[in-house]
Amino acid sequence: MTSPSKAAAARTDGRLNRSTRTRAAIVEAFIELIRAGNMSPTSEEVAERAQVGLRTVFRHFEDMESLYREVNRIILSSIEQEFELAPLQGDLETRLRGLMERRGALFTRIQPFVMSTLARRWRSPFLQRTYKTFAELQHTYLLDSLPEVKDLAPPLQRAVEQLASFDMWNRMRDTQGLSQKDAEDVQVEAILALLATS
């Protein structure tokens, strides 16, 4: 026979497990909506996709900012291995091509989430900080991989940074319809040409 204390503990554990599953379902619903092309899901859409009530969403997340933070944590954890790759070796072109290939693979994985951030950041201080951090990471990894860029005049440094950026890559992929490989080739050739003139 189960003691009253054990029965109470089991009920508590059951509620906690349901709460954890519900919270995870809400986060997954948000992620699925973005992957499906909804760049700015509303709380109502998230609730419908997660098959929970709107009140349930806000029992688990006090506001959309807290939901954004949890989604960002999940996305970062899924790509953290991308930031643990061995440093690039070789001559300038080899390192540059390696960097663009790595970025192309990463950008492809996170494209919908970056576009979603851009769509919503005007009303979200957290997403504004997130996008700024993303830009700073691109800058840091560029200089780590291509220290030659540090020797350029500031305007040329910024030009290289723009050529290697998500924004440039996304415009070629989304607006110009280039393949991932073609977009990487354009970035490599453009940066090499710019460096050759400096």
Side-chain angles (χ1 to χ4, degrees), residues 104-166:
L106 174 63
F107 291 165
T108 297
R109 290 180 62 187
I110 65 173
Q111 183 184 33
F113 303 102
V114 178
M115 298 308 293
S116 177
T117 294
L118 288 171
R120 294 175 288 119
R121 67 175 175 159
W122 63 273
R123 59 185 176 189
S124 167
F126 172 74
L127 293 179
Q128 290 167 19
R129 292 192 301 273
T130 297
Y131 193 73
K132 184 177 180 181
T133 299
F134 179 49
E136 290 169 349
L137 279 172
Q138 291 178 74
H139 174 77
T140 298
Y141 278 89
L142 174 67
L143 296 185
D144 285 348
S145 301
L146 306 175
E148 295 89 343
V149 175
K150 298 176 187 176
D151 297 329
L152 299 175
L156 292 180
Q157 286 187 30
R158 287 190 283 273
V160 171
E161 186 172 355
Q162 180 60 32
L163 288 169
S165 69
F166 171 85

Side-chain angles (χ1 to χ4, degrees), residues 28-153:
E28 185 59 28
F30 194 96
I31 290 172
E32 287 174 355
L33 285 165
I34 292 173
R35 284 190 175 131
N38 184 342
M39 294 294 101
S40 189
T42 65
S43 53
E44 291 83 1
E45 290 169 329
V46 172
E48 181 179 355
R49 183 77 173 226
Q51 298 183 327
V52 299
L54 185 58
R55 289 183 182 180
T56 300
V57 173
F58 290 110
R59 271 203 304 273
H60 289 273
F61 299 95
E62 60 186 29
D63 53 25
M64 291 302 283
E65 285 282 274
S66 59
L67 178 54
Y68 296 161
R69 282 193 292 272
E70 182 64 10
V71 169
N72 187 66
R73 185 188 69 77
I74 296 295
I75 299 304
L76 285 178
S77 68
S78 74
I79 62 171
E80 60 185 359
Q81 70 275 8
E82 303 287 344
F83 300 100
E84 298 170 357
L85 298 173
L88 293 164
Q89 304 292 332
D91 61 19
L92 172 62
E93 183 172 352
T94 300
R95 284 180 282 117
L96 175 56
R97 193 163 294 280
L99 178 64
M100 292 302 98
E101 287 174 357
R102 286 182 179 183
R103 286 192 174 195
L106 174 63
F107 291 165
T108 297
R109 290 180 62 187
I110 65 173
Q111 183 184 33
F113 303 102
V114 178
M115 298 308 293
S116 177
T117 294
L118 288 171
R120 294 175 288 119
R121 67 175 175 159
W122 63 273
R123 59 185 176 189
S124 167
F126 172 74
L127 293 179
Q128 290 167 19
R129 292 192 301 273
T130 297
Y131 193 73
K132 184 177 180 181
T133 299
F134 179 49
E136 290 169 349
L137 279 172
Q138 291 178 74
H139 174 77
T140 298
Y141 278 89
L142 174 67
L143 296 185
D144 285 348
S145 301
L146 306 175
E148 295 89 343
V149 175
K150 298 176 187 176
D151 297 329
L152 299 175

